[in-house]
Amino acid sequence: MVLTMHKTGFLLAAPSSGSGKTTLTLALLRILAQRGHSVQPFKCGPDYLDTWLHTIAASWGENSKKGINLDTWMASKQHVRDLFMRYSACADASIVEGVMGLFDGAEKSAGSSAEIAKLLHLPVIMVVNAKSMAYSAAPLLHGFRTFDPEVNLAGVIFNGVNTPSHYRHLENAALDAGVEPLGYVPRSDSMTIRERHLGLNISSEYDYDAMIDAMAEHVKKTVDISRLLDIARIDDFSWPSVPDAVQGGNKVIAVARDEAFNFVYQENLDVLQGYGTIVFFSPMDDAVLPEADFLYLSGGYPELYADKLSANSSMRASIADYCDKGGCAYAECGGMMYLGHSITLNDGSAYPMCGVLDFDTTMQDVKMTLGYRKVSLNGGYRGELRGHEFHYSQIKRVGELQNIASITNARDENTGSALYSQGNTLASYVHLYWGENRDFPGYLMGTHK
């Protein structure tokens, strides 16, 4: 079956990180949703925080679309294309937020926003921070437009522009560079999101809807939304109907989800749903672990809620009992920290955790660990897994735990990372993407010993 319809789709890119891609993406998602469009958000790369905010921004009225990661390093190009087709098929507009600079990839431009734009045949809208720039925007845009002729740089929006006279200089620069100017965004506190050490803030202290509404109101005053939709129109494009994940499994899967644990790829959850029923629970607020055949503890901010997690002794005991009795569990990054004996904060205070795994983690005197990872298990599961590692904590003491995997970076260099195994519990700092390794959860639930 093929659905043929007029659609809008574009990729929002920038010369570098910090140009304003995320805030502009959130504003555009909300503007289109408020206009009654069904709008599907995507994020290039492994970031799970931006997709979380995208989901909020795209939710308006009857429209409710999940933010989806598109990453040509963690998955094949065909998988990424299928994902885009499946999630865009029922949307009027698809907005893809790029990662870092347009051509920044794991190795040169491999895995970059430019690669994804070419793969999906999407026009690119550039976001340029022009706070301290005028006509010099012309050679900048000319270089990005001509560097790779297969990239369709269709328009530009200038950020950090406070006056119409400043914008006129930039407008002339864009026209001389052969890139259509679509407006500008004046500097404003409404376009700022406070950040945590791992990136964008996701605290419940924020009223995200109000924040995104303010962004949308600010942007639509000076950006030509109608023209943007015109030049990003996808005419006569065939959109194959891609089937959803296979359903019908009988497993009960307990997934941690609260302020402490929320770093998860939507496609991972979709794969899990094919194995049965997902039951969400809160390690902070619920008394005990729900009855389940599989436990998934994703990453998050356990260090920010260490006191509350530690104080919930009944939940800690319930999870320890589940794991000690042979329950199948997988924990990554923050979830792995929670399964250890303790977490030590920057001030030296230590908080007891579940005690399932014999190690302690600390936030003291640590440096950022960041990068793509290849994971090959030493036995049992034979496929190569891919994922991403991003944390500031470190393990300060390890007991008798078995590392069952070889983990390297994108350049095949050993990273020193581990995939720990104890009983039927596996844990690692690596956030694995198993959207294309759909059999991996089955391995976790029934074959490793």
Side-chain angles (χ1 to χ4, degrees):
M1 176 182 179
V2 175
L3 302 175
T4 303
M5 60 183 71
H6 295 302
K7 290 179 177 288
T8 295
F10 59 90
L11 187 147
L12 213 60
S16 66
S17 295
S19 299
K21 295 189 303 294
T22 297
T23 50
L24 187 54
T25 298
L26 297 176
L28 292 174
L29 286 169
R30 180 54 58 90
I31 289 169
L32 296 185
Q34 287 176 337
R35 291 186 178 186
H37 296 289
S38 173
V39 56
Q40 175 62 55
F42 297 92
K43 171 66 181 181
C44 295
D47 192 294
Y48 24 72
L49 297 174
D50 286 347
T51 53
W52 187 84
L53 288 171
H54 288 176
T55 299
I56 297 173
S59 299
W60 184 267
E62 295 182 359
N63 184 61
S64 180
K65 301 289 188 182
K66 300 288 187 181
I68 302 299
N69 292 88
L70 303 174
D71 193 303
T72 51
W73 192 90
M74 292 199 303
S76 69
K77 291 182 180 180
Q78 186 59 51
H79 176 75
V80 169
R81 191 175 187 277
D82 287 347
L83 277 182
F84 183 78
M85 293 297 184
R86 170 152 55 97
Y87 285 98
S88 292
C90 297
D92 303 316
S94 296
I95 300 179
V96 182
E97 182 189 344
V99 58
M100 299 178 67
L102 176 58
F103 292 99
D104 295 327
E107 189 69 26
K108 292 189 177 182
S109 64
S112 67
S113 304
E115 182 176 78
I116 290 175
K118 291 190 293 183
L119 174 68
L120 304 177
H121 304 289
L122 291 176
V124 173
I125 306 300
M126 206 70 165
V127 182
V128 174
N129 185 344
K131 177 183 177 182
S132 303
M133 183 187 300
Y135 193 69
S136 291
L140 174 72
L141 289 170
H142 181 270
F144 275 95
R145 182 178 68 81
T146 59
F147 179 76
D148 184 344
E150 294 183 28
V151 175
N152 175 20
L153 182 49
V156 60
I157 298 170
F158 294 101
N159 197 15
V161 179
N162 269 1
T163 65
S165 61
H166 183 192
Y167 176 62
R168 282 194 292 273
H169 290 290
L170 297 165
E171 192 174 30
N172 289 331
L175 291 171
D176 288 350
V179 180
E180 182 168 347
L182 297 169
Y184 65 99
V185 180
R187 294 191 296 275
S188 170
D189 289 342
S190 66
M191 298 299 290
T192 302
I193 306 175
R194 197 187 319 161
E195 296 193 351
R196 300 280 200 194
H197 58 266
L198 285 181
L200 300 177
N201 194 323
I202 55 173
S203 168
S204 62
E205 300 169 2
Y206 274 29
D207 183 342
Y208 293 101
D209 273 315
M211 177 188 73
I212 295 169
D213 280 344
M215 291 176 178
E217 287 300 315
H218 185 67
V219 165
K220 66 185 180 183
K221 295 174 184 176
T222 50
V223 173
D224 190 342
I225 305 298
S226 296
R227 183 56 186 157
L228 169 60
L229 295 180
D230 284 342
I231 68 173
R233 184 167 172 150
I234 304 173
D235 290 318
D236 300 323
F237 194 89
S238 294
W239 296 77
S241 179
V242 180
D244 292 332
V246 176
Q247 305 296 309
N250 59 5
K251 300 289 187 182
V252 177
I253 301 150
V255 177
R257 186 167 70 178
D258 57 21
E259 287 186 271
F261 303 103
N262 42 47
F263 297 172
V264 62
Y265 296 120
Q266 179 60 40
E267 197 64 12
N268 282 7
L269 295 180
D270 288 350
V271 171
L272 287 177
Q273 286 179 335
Y275 286 88
T277 303
I278 291 178
V279 178
F280 292 104
F281 73 100
S282 169
M284 288 201 301
D285 299 321
D286 294 336
V288 295
L289 179 70
E291 290 189 12
D293 302 298
F294 180 63
L295 167 63
Y296 180 30
L297 291 165
S298 68
Y301 290 121
E303 69 276 13
L304 298 181
Y305 304 96
D307 55 346
K308 194 169 182 180
L309 288 169
S310 186
N312 192 351
S313 57
S314 63
M315 175 59 77
R316 291 193 289 118
S318 177
I319 289 177
D321 182 67
Y322 169 86
C323 293
D324 291 344
K325 290 180 177 177
C328 297
Y330 180 73
E332 54 192 10
C333 205
M336 180 191 73
M337 295 168 66
Y338 180 57
L339 289 186
H341 279 290
S342 69
I343 298 176
T344 299
L345 305 185
N346 285 320
D347 62 5
S349 57
Y351 291 88
M353 293 293 138
C354 295
V356 172
L357 301 176
D358 189 16
F359 60 69
D360 300 293
T361 53
T362 181
M363 303 299 299
Q364 290 186 309
D365 303 320
V366 295
K367 296 180 180 180
M368 181 179 68
T369 299
L370 171 68
Y372 284 118
R373 299 291 183 257
K374 298 178 183 178
V375 179
S376 298
L377 274 65
N378 298 334
Y381 187 78
R382 297 188 180 279
E384 181 185 79
L385 297 159
R386 293 201 171 192
H388 190 258
E389 191 171 357
F390 185 18
H391 57 89
Y392 281 85
S393 66
Q394 67 179 5
I395 296 174
K396 67 176 182 179
R397 181 197 64 80
V398 181
E400 295 183 3
L401 287 176
Q402 182 183 9
N403 175 23
I404 64 166
S406 171
I407 301 178
T408 60
N409 61 21
R411 295 178 297 279
D412 293 320
E413 300 164 338
N414 191 284
T415 63
S417 303
L419 178 59
Y420 295 114
S421 173
Q422 180 166 305
N424 286 327
T425 297
L426 295 184
S428 175
Y429 262 127
V430 179
H431 294 264
L432 290 177
Y433 178 82
W434 58 64
E436 200 166 12
N437 297 80
R438 306 179 80 85
D439 60 337
F440 180 65
Y443 162 78
L444 292 174
M445 293 179 201
T447 64
H448 79 274
K449 299 296 181 182

